[in-house]
Amino acid sequence: MTANQDVHRFMGRAIELSREHMETGDGGPFGAVIVKGGVVVGEGWNRVTSTHDPTAHAEVVAIRAACARLATFELRGCEIYTSCEPCPMCLAAIYWARLDRIWYANDRADAAAIQFDDAWLYREVAQPVDARSLPAIQLMREEALAVFRAWEQKADRVPY
């Protein structure tokens, strides 16, 4: 199988997951597959409504599955295939997981056309903290900084 056939096969699987689990009522029409060395190491589909978890987007579910399977908290050497351009939360998770590449099918405009519009969130997170619509109040910074200083001195910490 050629590399071109592989990318289409993996994207096809992500799209298949999106349709299958949307039709069974697991959640919205989103699927994702994580691949390492030509092998699927994690799959996910939107489970927001079926698990009552607003973070259970397809990409996050796939990242969790791949990390569990590979027993690691980073996915260097892996790529994600997702049926839709990742929302800001999923994009951040992909960066934190250190995936090498994102392949996507639908884009954010396609998602917005069916009422999955993330434009407001993209705008919101770009605002300074005090200009966002969700109030964020800093409290007990010195006490929290003491924990950070302890982390900094911890000899057996695992950096990530």
Side-chain angles (χ1 to χ4, degrees), residues 128-144:
V129 172
D130 60 352
R132 294 179 187 155
S133 63
L134 180 65
I137 300 98
Q138 190 172 24
L139 180 68
M140 297 181 68
R141 181 172 180 255
E142 288 305 315
E143 292 84 349

Side-chain angles (χ1 to χ4, degrees), residues 76-128:
R76 293 181 201 275
C78 297
E79 297 181 341
I80 189 166
Y81 294 79
T82 180
S83 65
C84 188
E85 181 180 0
C87 75
M89 176 185 70
C90 293
L91 185 60
I94 289 165
Y95 273 98
W96 277 114
R98 293 171 176 79
L99 286 149
D100 291 358
R101 180 175 287 122
I102 302 167
W103 300 85
Y104 65 94
N106 293 316
D107 64 22
R108 66 177 84 170
D110 299 324
I114 61 164
Q115 285 73 55
F116 288 97
D117 190 356
D118 298 324
W120 68 272
L121 188 51
Y122 279 103
R123 287 190 304 273
E124 186 76 8
V125 297
Q127 297 290 327

